[in-house]
Amino acid sequence: RTAAALLQWAIDRYRRENQAPLLKRAGGMFGTLTSGSFTDLRVEYDDQDHARLAGIRPDQSPVGIDGMSDGTADQLYLALRLASVDDYLGRAHSLPFIADDLLINFDNDRAAAGFRVLAELGQKTQILFFTHHRHLVDIARATLGDGVNVVSLVENEPVSAA
């Protein structure tokens, strides 16, 4: 029993210490997107050694995807997606990242965090964010200031060249 416990401990330690850089980057983004409700991501293994992704709370308790709200799960998927794009940009030519209402299920604080994460990615590639939700435009402007350029496709609506 002791040997089995030691082996399991060694396996768990190895898995923790050797997480893929992509998962680490996604975990950092997830922490930002959830305004600190989660601090990281980790792959958890059940008794049959099946892997499951879990968000890690500040107290280090894991929460599986099935235990997350729809909005938090959306933030998790966005973090994974953006970490993949970031990884891709590290080894390939930059192409614009096109986002169509990615933040629609986010509350205002998490939408602002989403714009900060997109702006960080925007240091490596062009971000085109489409929305028909005026409040998201206002949040983007408040969060990014001069770092955002808003173009309205609605006639008679002023266009900002910020």
Side-chain angles (χ1 to χ4, degrees):
R1 244 187 267 166
T2 303
L6 271 171
L7 179 60
Q8 187 60 50
W9 175 81
I11 290 170
D12 291 342
R13 180 177 172 202
Y14 178 83
R15 286 175 175 163
R16 276 193 313 273
E17 292 175 359
N18 294 289
Q19 282 185 11
L22 183 70
L23 188 60
K24 273 294 197 197
R25 180 74 176 115
M29 288 180 176
F30 186 53
T32 299
L33 290 169
T34 61
S35 300
S37 292
F38 290 87
T39 58
D40 205 357
L41 293 173
R42 182 168 63 213
V43 177
E44 299 272 305
Y45 296 87
D46 63 18
D47 295 338
Q48 288 78 37
D49 213 31
H50 293 121
R52 290 183 25 176
L53 189 60
I56 306 301
R57 295 273 190 195
D59 66 0
Q60 298 303 303
S61 62
V63 177
I65 296 170
D66 55 345
M68 296 178 185
S69 69
D70 289 342
T72 301
D74 283 350
Q75 289 141 16
L76 170 62
Y77 297 132
L78 179 58
L80 292 167
R81 187 172 175 195
L82 293 178
S84 296
V85 169
D86 189 41
D87 178 62
Y88 173 80
L89 291 171
R91 54 186 158 67
H93 292 291
S94 176
L95 295 172
F97 179 79
I98 300 173
D100 185 9
D101 270 336
L102 282 180
L103 310 178
I104 193 64
N105 291 326
F106 291 28
D107 63 29
N108 289 351
D109 290 338
R110 290 185 178 191
F115 284 119
R116 284 192 296 276
V117 169
L118 288 171
E120 185 179 328
L121 186 64
Q123 298 299 312
K124 296 180 180 180
T125 190
Q126 182 181 27
I127 307 293
L128 301 172
F129 185 89
F130 293 93
T131 187
H132 63 279
H133 295 278
R134 174 47 100 188
H135 78 282
L136 289 175
V137 173
D138 296 339
I139 291 169
R141 283 184 170 146
T143 303
L144 303 176
D146 290 340
V148 66
N149 182 21
V150 177
V151 176
S152 176
L153 300 179
V154 177
E155 288 186 41
N156 301 324
E157 186 169 337
V159 175
S160 168

